[in-house]
Amino acid sequence: MQLVNLKDDNQKVSFTEAVKTGLGRNQGVFFPTDLKPLDDIDALLELPFVERSTQILSHLIGDELPKDTLADMVKRAFNFPVELVKVDEKNYCLELFHGPTLAFKDFGGRFMAECIGLFNQGERVTILTATSGDTGAAVAHAFYNKPNVDVVILYPEGKISLAQQKLFTTLGGNIHCYAVTGSFDDCQALVKQAFLDDEVKAKLGLNSANSINISRLLAQVCYYFEALAQLPKEERALVHVSVPSGNFGNVCAAMIGSVIGLPVDKLSATTNQNDTVPRYIASGEWSPNATVESLSNAMDVSKPNNWPRVQSMLDSGKFDKHDFYSRCVSEQRTQEVMREIAANDYIAEPHTAIAYEGLTQDKDAKSTGIFLATAHPAKFKESVEQVLAKQIDMPEVLQNALDKACLAQPMTADYEQLKSAIFAKLF
Ligand SMILES: *Cc1c(COP(=O)(O)O)cnc(C)c1O
């Protein structure tokens, strides 16, 4: 597989290099130079999830990874189910929260851990990442107790849910957490600074685990095929998928899927009030506002890192602009929709409700709708219970994490403090 830096087309890299470096020169993201269609989609959809996912990833990545190695990696990474649940007459929910940290980030995080484990054999690696809520837990669990790997996670103190936080700050071992006084953007800025610091980079063997990493993105392509495989055949003619979007990685994976032959006709990338992309689609102007806090905190992103990848597929016509929708859903509407879905006996947390609203607004009557449940409702227990005025069940993994003590250390948003803390911890 060859990838090109979307900000500098002189920089072309292999899949291995793209995974190891994350971001290219000038902060450019890597994108495959050639996305070839898969053959015989119908036969592919007949296969079991893990086997089909191996075929898809092998098609995308090519001979850089031997197929039997890849098969083992996929089997270990995707060791939990994906479920498509009918919610009403024309809409299905794709539940992506049955992994160890109850959010879709487990797919990308676990496959990325497999790739780094393979590529960095013997070398020391430090994964440094900022989290807006769910990446931290997925990455922490994926790398927990892996030899030669340390994970450093920065999160904005008080701005993520207790369940989100406890899922990674209670692990200990090779997982080191810092509660930063500031916003997600402040955490992200500290991470960026570390990547510009050659001393730190070399000594620690730094790698980031954010959704920029191509291995995470490619892994996510696989569950869209699983959604179609579980959809009754007579409902596959016209399919409209709605993805709750923050950094636009998930919807980018859906679009890559479509480019290689996934039978999805229309895509909605639905956001909360952090609406840089919807405003851009409407006006042609890219003008991010300051990030605002919302109920769907994992989408509180105003400068989506993955947008250049989506844009490249729209610009080249690989995905038809007219079939791409992006709108924003207000806080008030998010809560109303949560109650509307609950009236159909389905509990949706805020991100999922936003995806559902995207279908309600964008989908035509003929199409079958699929909206993504990106997190388990219990991960947002406080807000779900408040909005629905009822108690919800707590899965055991979450209850166990909640019962443990938080091991994170407080930190101000100061790079020198971060640097000395990391060096003190790791050397
Ligand atoms: C990360 C996340 C999103 C946003 O996904 P992107 O790929 O960043 O667009 C949506 N919902 C949940 C629950 C998340 O954790």
Side-chain angles (χ1 to χ4, degrees):
M1 168 178 230
Q2 190 190 50
L3 300 104
V4 64
N5 179 338
L6 291 179
K7 274 201 184 156
D8 176 356
D9 55 18
N10 289 320
Q11 189 183 17
K12 296 209 170 70
V13 295
S14 65
F15 174 71
T16 311
E17 286 171 282
V19 170
K20 287 172 88 165
T21 41
L23 210 54
R25 287 201 285 265
N26 298 326
Q27 315 255 339
V29 290
F30 294 116
F31 197 73
T33 50
D34 194 15
L35 288 170
K36 288 195 198 62
L38 287 153
D39 25 72
D40 207 348
I41 302 286
D42 288 337
L44 196 62
L45 292 179
E46 295 296 320
L47 297 176
F49 179 51
V50 168
E51 201 180 322
R52 181 191 325 109
S53 300
T54 305
Q55 302 256 14
I56 294 166
L57 288 167
S58 166
H59 171 82
L60 285 165
I61 297 168
D63 52 15
E64 252 178 277
L65 288 183
K67 192 129 179 215
D68 50 345
T69 308
L70 182 62
D72 289 340
M73 292 161 70
V74 174
K75 197 167 160 193
R76 284 190 298 265
F78 297 172
N79 64 348
F80 54 92
V82 175
E83 283 172 28
L84 189 73
V85 178
K86 189 159 190 171
V87 169
D88 57 36
E89 198 44 44
K90 270 291 195 182
N91 294 311
Y92 290 82
C93 180
L94 183 66
E95 293 186 348
L96 299 173
F97 54 66
H98 299 289
T101 71
L102 310 174
F104 80 94
K105 304 265 186 345
D106 282 324
F107 290 93
R110 293 173 68 81
F111 184 64
M112 180 184 169
E114 290 291 336
C115 291
I116 294 200
L118 182 72
F119 300 153
N120 283 67
Q121 266 170 7
E123 288 168 47
R124 174 168 196 170
V125 194
T126 305
I127 308 287
L128 174 63
T129 194
T131 182
S132 65
D134 293 317
T135 292
V139 168
H141 280 257
F143 286 98
Y144 186 47
N145 283 338
K146 290 242 158 136
N148 294 320
V149 181
D150 281 286
V151 178
V152 178
I153 300 175
L154 309 181
Y155 68 97
E157 163 96 271
K159 299 209 167 68
I160 66 176
S161 83
L162 189 63
Q164 284 178 317
Q165 189 247 93
K166 286 274 184 117
L167 273 170
F168 62 93
T169 58
T170 55
L171 290 173
N174 62 335
I175 312 297
H176 318 286
C177 304
Y178 297 96
V180 176
T181 317
S183 67
F184 169 67
D185 289 313
D186 295 327
C187 298
Q188 187 79 43
L190 289 173
V191 170
K192 281 202 176 133
Q193 206 167 343
F195 276 86
L196 294 173
D197 184 330
D198 290 334
E199 184 200 356
V200 166
K201 230 166 124 176
K203 272 197 177 150
L204 300 177
L206 220 49
N207 197 313
S208 154
N210 62 22
S211 62
I212 284 299
N213 199 290
I214 194 72
S215 60
R216 278 181 53 170
L217 219 53
L218 297 187
Q220 290 173 229
V221 173
C222 300
Y223 52 66
Y224 289 100
F225 282 87
E226 178 63 12
L228 268 288
Q230 290 187 29
L231 196 65
K233 282 206 177 84
E234 63 279 9
E235 293 182 67
R236 290 183 196 163
L238 270 176
V239 177
H240 190 138
V241 173
S242 177
V243 186
S245 296
N247 236 334
F248 283 68
N250 207 357
V251 76
C252 180
M255 204 174 266
I256 291 175
S258 157
V259 172
I260 63 170
L262 174 77
V264 159
D265 302 282
K266 292 169 193 284
L267 275 177
S268 291
T270 317
T271 73
N272 63 24
Q273 329 151 72
N274 295 288
D275 59 351
T276 308
V277 169
R279 285 187 292 109
Y280 173 71
I281 298 286
S283 73
E285 257 174 72
W286 187 259
S287 55
N289 295 329
T291 311
V292 287
E293 283 176 43
S294 76
L295 289 169
S296 46
N297 64 23
M299 301 176 358
D300 292 348
V301 180
S302 56
K303 293 178 183 157
N305 274 331
N306 278 294
W307 179 254
R309 289 171 163 152
V310 174
Q311 173 119 46
S312 77
M313 287 182 277
L314 294 173
D315 285 351
S316 64
K318 288 199 169 86
F319 191 89
D320 191 336
K321 276 194 183 67
H322 304 99
D323 293 329
F324 180 73
Y325 303 77
S326 188
R327 68 171 61 243
C328 106
V329 178
S330 72
E331 287 293 273
Q332 193 198 331
R333 187 66 200 136
T334 303
Q335 298 175 51
E336 286 166 11
V337 175
M338 286 167 72
R339 290 191 280 264
E340 286 168 21
I341 305 174
N344 270 328
D345 280 330
Y346 191 81
I347 307 288
E349 52 72 47
H351 307 77
T352 305
I354 286 176
Y356 182 84
E357 177 68 356
L359 283 185
T360 307
Q361 300 297 332
D362 299 336
K363 188 177 83 65
D364 61 31
K366 295 184 304 251
S367 306
T368 302
I370 298 178
F371 64 104
L372 270 55
T374 46
H376 191 289
K379 250 185 141 168
F380 299 90
K381 184 180 164 65
E382 298 91 342
S383 59
V384 172
E385 289 189 340
Q386 203 202 341
V387 173
L388 301 183
K390 68 180 227 180
Q391 300 269 102
I392 57 167
D393 296 337
M394 209 18 102
E396 205 177 304
V397 272
L398 214 47
Q399 193 54 55
N400 289 344
L402 284 166
D403 291 342
K404 289 190 200 141
C406 167
L407 303 172
Q409 287 169 3
M411 178 175 288
T412 53
D414 172 63
Y415 182 65
E416 290 309 318
Q417 199 191 338
L418 171 68
K419 193 167 162 176
S420 50
I422 298 182
F423 277 112
K425 178 81 87 182
L426 301 183
F427 290 98

